[in-house]
Amino acid sequence: YELTQPPSVSVSPGQTARVTCSGDALPRQYAYWYQQKPGQAPLLVIYKDSERPSGIPERFSGSTSGTTVTLTISGVQAEDEADYYCQSADSSGIFVLFGGGTKLTVL
Amino acid sequence: QVRLQESGPGLLRPSETLSLTCTVSGTSVRSYSWGWIRQSPGKKLEWIGYIYYTETTHSNPSLNSRVSISVDTLKNQISLQLTSVTAGDTAVYYCARVEAGATPVYFDFWGQGTLVTVSS
């Protein structure tokens, strides 16, 4: 079982970036999103598909549709350039999985 | 404020046992569940395992029985042991607090990570 993400997404500042994550168990399991900048630890930006932790800007949002979850960053800023990883689990909900990561480039 | 700091040997020889410690401040290890994640150079995150506050553990099947995770409540630390290491275990190792109230669990606070290199 895998979580599949596009390797890269590019957007211009101010535009909307969408990062997708696909997996067969996603209709039954929550998905989470992490932002990782070079040399830093991952930072949780979305939990339970669409909830935003305290301190995360409102421009970060999450949604789900069938076997695909989407991280949307509205009004992208240069500081949003990072790798983004989705996380969920297999159908048991016990064994954690990470997607392969998507490099967001702000042009 | 919750802070996690990983520590351990930076260099191991093949077949040795990796032992890492994560020192937690700002909260008690008794109150939460804790996990370990690693990231090979230039590669994706890989879940290693987690330990519930009940001391039940779950680990990545791909690591088979090589993984052991424990909690030391007196020192407020979490430990990871990975036996019979190979070059494929070279990675940055992160400890993280687990939010166990959701299914599946997720990781809401992370340490800065420690690089472990396996080389002869």
Side-chain angles (χ1 to χ4, degrees), chain A residues 61-78:
Chain A
S61 63
S63 61
T64 180
S65 178
T67 58
T68 298
V69 294
T70 302
L71 170 70
T72 300
I73 310 172
S74 304
V76 166
Q77 300 182 7

Side-chain angles (χ1 to χ4, degrees), chain B residues 4 9 14-15 17-18 28 43 45 48 58 62 66 71-72 76 80 83 87 89 91 95-96 99 110-111 115:
Chain B
L4 296 80
S15 80
T17 294
L18 167 65
S28 170
K43 296 193 175 180
L45 300 169
I48 298 172
H58 295 290
S62 69
R66 295 197 296 136
V71 170
D72 186 331
N76 219 42
L80 169 69
T83 61
D89 295 310
C95 66
E99 174 48 68
W110 295 60
L115 174 63

Side-chain angles (χ1 to χ4, degrees), chain A residues 29-30 32 34 36 40-42 44 47-48 85 87-89 93-96 98-100, chain B residues 37 39 43-47 50 58-59 61 94 102-108 110-112:
Chain A
Q29 303 292 351
Y30 282 127
Y32 310 97
Y34 302 88
Q36 186 181 34
Q40 297 185 16
L44 180 71
Y47 67 100
K48 291 185 180 180
Y85 292 89
Q87 179 237 308
S88 187
I94 293 175
F95 299 111
V96 170
F98 286 95
Chain B
I37 302 97
Q39 186 171 35
K43 296 193 175 180
K44 73 171 190 177
L45 300 169
E46 180 183 22
W47 170 63
Y50 56 84
H58 295 290
S59 57
Y94 296 99
T103 302
V105 303
Y106 62 97
F107 308 97
D108 60 356
W110 295 60
Q112 282 304 299

Side-chain angles (χ1 to χ4, degrees), chain B residues 80-119:
Chain B
L80 169 69
Q81 285 201 329
L82 181 66
T83 61
S84 303
V85 298
T86 69
D89 295 310
T90 294
V92 174
Y93 286 75
Y94 296 99
C95 66
R97 193 177 78 172
V98 168
E99 174 48 68
T103 302
V105 303
Y106 62 97
F107 308 97
D108 60 356
F109 284 97
W110 295 60
Q112 282 304 299
T114 187
L115 174 63
V116 175
T117 301
V118 180
S119 175

